[in-house]
Amino acid sequence: MIIDLPSTTTSALNKKLVEIREQGGQVALGRVLTLVIVADDDAKLEEAIEAANGASREHPSRVIVVAKGARTAAPRIDGQIRVGGDAGASEVIVLRLYGPLATQGQSAVVPLLLPDAPIVTWWPGAGPKAPDKDPLGELAQRRITDSAAEKNPVKALTTRAKAYTEGDTDLAWTRLTHWRAQLVSALDLPPYEKVTGATVTGEADSPSTELLAAWLAEYLKVPVKRVKSSGAAGIISVTLDRRSGPVELHRPDGRVGTLTQPGQPTRRIALQRRNTQDCLVEELRRLDPDEVYEASLHGLGKITSGTNGKTGAPPKADVTSPAAAAASGAKK
């Protein structure tokens, strides 16, 4: 059910919510958090609401959408309430703010917050450089941005890394969960040798590729090369150099990866690029600071640039690494 309240107030929206609960049995007592979505009022807004509705089936919540309309229009709030089948396991309140009110999202949101429930603010599109300094970010225990949605994704990531505070996170990081899990699992298999270097290949403007390289640099304490490629989207491959030969995880098509390493059979692994809903569900599972993400941001300054990569075959190991030297000697 969708109820439109044009040219309304937050007081009228709250009154309508109470009326809906009394008439239809829709209650908010079981909501575990308030999710505030901040976006422009454009065609992509419904995609963000749909992702939030899907995530609410695991995390029942009140979703408040702050949709910024035309700044030149007369000041007004067009409200909309969605419940039942149009809101997943949540109740959705859409606030379309026009004119000077477009910059007053915090004042519009505060009267609608659930009492004693944690607040998460999510910018599905372009977000602030310092999320915790944003008026709507100040309200939240957890602040979610998405560098991949920015005009300059890598620059946006590095800018937010400098302004990081506890509670910040980025969906570019969440998209790495399966990659990190597969690499850790591969290193748990014999031979148990130290990694001496790494190469990460991916799309030139992929913030997830940057973060994966930074994570390896920070936790393995080895030189990591970041190779840029224009032949495929997102992360393409990771090579970890070891004395007996490299561990290579190669995903040229964005769907299926191939893991090869000495002494182990070649394995094909499902590495489908994660959608926004899956990433949002994962982020809403925890409201405490993500120390691993914070440490990986520190690793951004430790990676070096490599030569342009090709997507047709796994990247070759660094010729200066012990693994490459051993392979070269075997061919002679």
Side-chain angles (χ1 to χ4, degrees):
M1 180 171 63
I2 299 178
I3 301 170
D4 291 311
L5 288 86
S7 298
T8 189
T9 64
T10 54
S11 177
L13 282 164
N14 261 322
K15 183 178 179 180
K16 191 64 178 179
L17 282 168
V18 172
E19 181 183 325
I20 292 171
R21 288 198 293 270
E22 290 177 346
Q23 294 180 352
Q26 298 288 342
V27 297
L29 299 178
R31 309 307 187 209
V32 298
L33 57 86
T34 300
L35 175 62
V36 179
I37 302 175
V38 188
D40 288 329
D41 188 11
D42 56 22
K44 295 183 178 180
L45 182 63
E46 287 300 324
E47 295 179 11
I49 296 175
E50 184 179 350
N53 287 347
S56 73
R57 301 186 189 282
E58 184 169 330
H59 309 283
S61 56
R62 170 174 286 185
V63 179
I64 304 175
V65 182
V66 180
K68 300 177 182 180
R71 276 59 166 180
T72 57
R76 76 175 193 277
I77 300 176
D78 286 348
Q80 187 181 79
I81 299 174
R82 305 183 186 185
V83 293
D86 295 294
S90 64
E91 54 189 7
V92 179
I93 305 169
V94 182
L95 303 173
R96 289 184 166 86
L97 308 180
Y98 297 93
L101 294 179
T103 60
Q104 302 299 316
Q106 186 187 66
S107 299
V109 164
V110 169
L112 300 169
L113 296 175
L114 292 174
D116 303 321
I119 302 167
V120 178
T121 300
W122 172 37
W123 293 267
K129 294 181 180 180
D132 73 311
K133 303 296 189 221
D134 184 89
L136 287 167
E138 290 177 347
L139 297 173
Q141 288 78 36
R142 190 80 163 168
R143 296 165 294 276
I144 305 173
T145 54
D146 189 354
S147 296
E150 301 280 353
K151 291 182 179 179
N152 191 327
V154 175
K155 182 179 179 181
L157 177 65
T158 54
T159 298
R160 293 195 183 112
K162 296 176 182 177
Y164 173 85
T165 57
E166 290 188 351
D168 290 355
T169 191
D170 198 296
L171 294 187
W173 169 251
T174 323
R175 295 184 183 103
L176 293 178
T177 299
H178 294 164
W179 280 87
R180 294 192 296 124
Q182 293 298 335
L183 292 171
V184 169
S185 297
L187 293 179
D188 282 340
L189 298 174
Y192 305 106
E193 298 174 330
K194 181 179 179 181
V195 176
T196 58
T199 302
V200 181
T201 303
E203 191 177 7
D205 62 352
S206 167
S208 293
T209 307
E210 298 284 331
L211 280 170
L212 183 57
W215 172 68
L216 291 171
E218 182 68 20
Y219 281 95
L220 293 180
K221 308 298 182 186
V222 297
V224 178
K225 283 187 178 181
R226 161 66 161 103
V227 178
K228 298 180 179 181
S229 173
S230 59
I235 305 168
I236 298 171
S237 66
V238 177
T239 300
L240 305 179
D241 297 325
R242 297 195 298 187
R243 183 176 59 84
S244 62
V247 176
E248 296 180 337
L249 181 55
H250 186 229
R251 186 198 65 175
D253 60 0
R255 296 188 300 273
V256 179
T258 301
L259 178 64
T260 58
Q261 60 187 121
Q264 298 291 333
T266 298
R267 289 183 288 163
R268 288 172 60 82
I269 300 168
L271 275 178
Q272 180 75 32
R273 300 186 72 186
R274 305 183 72 190
N275 60 38
T276 301
Q277 179 180 314
D278 289 342
C279 293
L280 187 61
V281 166
E282 180 178 330
E283 285 298 340
L284 295 180
R285 288 187 188 131
R286 57 178 302 170
L287 299 178
D288 57 318
D290 189 339
E291 295 86 356
V292 180
Y293 169 63
E294 180 183 3
S296 298
L297 291 178
H298 296 157
L300 288 172
K302 300 179 181 180
I303 58 180
T304 59
S305 298
T307 57
N308 290 334
K310 297 181 180 180
T311 62
K316 295 181 179 179
D318 179 2
V319 294
T320 62
S321 70
S328 177
K331 291 179 180 179
K332 292 182 179 179

